[in-house]
Structure formats: C-alpha cells, structure tokens
Amino acid sequence: MSATVIDGKGIAAEVRGAVAADVAAFHERYGRAPGLATVLVGEDPASAIYVAAKQRACLEVGIIPFDRRLPAESTFDEVTEELEELNSDRAVNAILLQLPVPAHLDGPALTAMISPDKDVDGLTPVNAGLLSLGRPGLRPCTPCGVMELLDRSGVSLAGAEAVLVGRSNLFGKPMAQLLLERNATVTICHSRTRDLRASCARADVLIAAVGRARLIEGDFVKAGAVVIDVGMNRLTPEEAQNKSGLVGDVDYAPAAERAAAITPVPGGVGPMTIAFLLRNTLQAAQYHAELEAMFAEAERRAPMSEGRGR
Ligand code: NAP
C-alpha cells in the first residue's frame, strides 16, 4: 500500500481563504478589523521567525497584527504588565505569548495572565477546563488543525482506535479531548509507556507529537491506518534528506508504505496551526463584537425599564 498524502499546505490555504472572506464580512458589519497581538520575550531566532510568519499571515487575511517585543531579561511582572495592557486594549481581540519564554520566566503562569476571551491558543486554565467539560471556548490551534485534516480526509472517528503519542498541555491533552468529543476510543502514550510499538500498532488513527526524529518506525503502523505527524525536528539537510532540514516524529517512507493516509513534514500539520490561529482570532473578535452589541442593547433598554419601575 502507498498512502495518500494529506496536503496540509493546500488545506491550510483553503482555511485561510475562508477566514479572509469572513474577516471581510466582519469588517463590513462592524467597521473594524480583528486584531491579534503576539508577544515575544527575548531574541530566540526560531521564535522570531515563527512570530514574523504569524504577523505576515494576519496581514494576508485582513487581521491587524500587533507586534510586542520585550527584552530577554524582562521580569515576570514586566511581561504581566504588557499582557494586562493588551487584555484591556479593545483593538486587540486575541493574544499569543510566544513559547518558550526565557528560562527564568514561568511560561504557563504567564499564559494564565491572558484574559480567557483573548486566549487565542486556548491554553489558559479557563479554556482548558471548558474543553475538558466539552463546552465552547477558544481551543488550541494545532489540535483544531489536526481535526480539520482528519475531517477533510474523510476519516470516520466514531468508535475508531485513536492513539496519541505525547501528552503535553499544548497538544497531546487537548487533542485527546477533541478526539473523545468525536467518540474515538483514545489511548495516550508517553515516555513511560511500556510497549509503544504494540500501542501504536492498534491505531486506526495514529498521531505523533513527541519531538524525536523518526521515533515512530514503519512497523509501528497498522496497515490502512491514518498517520498524523505533528513533530518538527530540525536536522541537517543531509540527515533529513530534504532541503528544509525538518523531519517529523514518524519515519515517513516505511510508514507511508503501510498507512492509508499520512501527513508529510514539512507541509502537513505545521501550516494548519497558523490557519487556526487566524480562525481563532476571528472567533474571539466575533465574541467581543456580539458582547458589545449585547451591552449596547442593554444600555439602550435600561432607562425604559427604570422609568417603568417608578
Ligand atoms: P513536549 O511538551 O516536549 O511533549 C513531548 C511528549 O512526548 C511528552 O508527553 C513526552 O512524554 C513524550 N515522549 C517523549 N519521549 C517519548 C518516547 N520515547 N516515547 C513516547 N513518548 C515520548 O512537546 P510538544 O510541545 O507536545 O511538541 C511535540 C512535537 O510537536 C515537537 O516536535 C513540536 O515541535 C511539535 N509541534 C508542532 C506543532 C506544529 O504547529 N506543527 C505544534 C506543536 C508542537 P512525558 O510526558 O512522559 O515526558
């Protein structure tokens, strides 16, 4: 068997196109564009490249990007002050604190300072809690992107054996919640899993998010499975056997021999993350606009009801 390649780049372009159309409709209706603020602490070159890509992607779909940069030696209170300023800025609908932050700072504690209604990556305790309760809220971009890839590939999740490798708060745990919500039978593997090969071999849908190049070997994959590779590992172009130097957590060629469908690296999950960052920004802006309309309506009615009471 030779797998169908799931074209994340193409699907992400379609999602971005749909977001651009919805942003134009939002602008038409409310007379303003949604705004996304990125906050970068320090000068880590990889993080600076990711932030620049996010800023560019905003401009392409008509979202206003706000680019906030703080020196690497910033204190917890200084970063918090920046986040609080953005929390109260009405032009900013969504806030992304670029992770990782420098080692002396506590990334999760800083993320928790973001107002939940602007928490575009769904990482605050409020949004993580809403997701685990199955209630609406802002949901993490990469897991949402993976769900979109599965849906557009026609994968039927109800009752399917879905095996996740990786249990991070950023990806593995929210991904498991989304799969459960769609009635998959979910297994979560991690560094203490006794027999990773045996667990993976049961999977109808195998999702790897570990950060270890080619950990998932070809014979971990059940014949006919759908394989989603979230891992992004940087090697030399020679080691990676491609120009970008990027490889996933799955040993692509042998896995593609057994799988029914598989995402490549690069060009699979990566582009979906930015597409859903844009979609979540729009979702936050729509929520804010509806809330403002509700308050305006309540204010309009308030004098009337006060009058009636007298
Ligand atoms: P992370 O926080 O480092 O978590 C890695 C997970 O892998 C942990 O749960 C860890 O287990 C598990 N693990 C480590 N070694 C293992 C092994 N030998 N066998 C089984 N499980 C093992 O990483 P992350 O933030 O979730 O990211 C994972 C990968 O996805 C990285 O390559 C990252 O770059 C990539 N990523 C890509 C995107 C994208 O947009 N494409 C977005 C997010 C992440 P323990 O919990 O037991 O330590």
Side-chain angles (χ1 to χ4, degrees), residues 96-150:
L96 181 121
L97 174 66
Q98 184 66 40
L99 298 173
V101 288
H104 68 282
L105 294 171
D106 179 343
L110 282 170
T111 299
M113 296 296 169
I114 298 172
S115 186
D117 57 305
K118 298 191 176 187
D119 166 28
V120 71
D121 213 2
L123 293 176
T124 57
V126 169
N127 281 316
L130 287 170
L131 173 61
S132 78
L133 294 172
R135 294 191 32 209
L138 286 165
R139 293 174 162 195
C141 302
T142 308
C144 287
V146 169
M147 290 306 287
E148 186 77 16
L149 291 179
L150 293 171

Side-chain angles (χ1 to χ4, degrees), residues 41-120:
V41 187
E43 284 98 37
D44 176 57
S47 293
I49 291 171
Y50 293 142
V51 164
K54 288 165 187 170
Q55 297 272 321
R56 268 199 313 276
C58 281
L59 290 171
E60 278 166 25
V61 298
I63 288 174
I64 300 173
F66 296 82
D67 184 1
R68 300 291 173 92
R69 302 200 176 209
L70 294 162
E73 59 280 7
S74 301
T75 63
F76 186 89
D77 287 349
E78 284 165 343
V79 183
T80 300
E81 201 178 308
E82 183 71 47
L83 293 173
E84 279 172 352
E85 203 178 287
L86 293 167
N87 281 340
S88 54
D89 185 341
R90 284 186 58 226
V92 172
N93 300 109
I95 304 169
L96 181 121
L97 174 66
Q98 184 66 40
L99 298 173
V101 288
H104 68 282
L105 294 171
D106 179 343
L110 282 170
T111 299
M113 296 296 169
I114 298 172
S115 186
D117 57 305
K118 298 191 176 187
D119 166 28
V120 71

Side-chain angles (χ1 to χ4, degrees), residues 50 142 165-172 189-193 196 208-212 215 229-233 247 249 269-274:
Y50 293 142
T142 308
V165 190
R167 58 173 165 179
S168 67
N169 290 333
L170 184 71
F171 181 80
C189 303
H190 46 77
S191 65
R192 313 285 177 89
T193 296
L196 184 62
V210 181
R212 289 190 52 184
L215 174 76
D229 192 352
V230 183
M232 290 205 303
N233 306 290
V247 294
D249 291 341
V269 174
M272 297 301 287
T273 299
I274 292 195

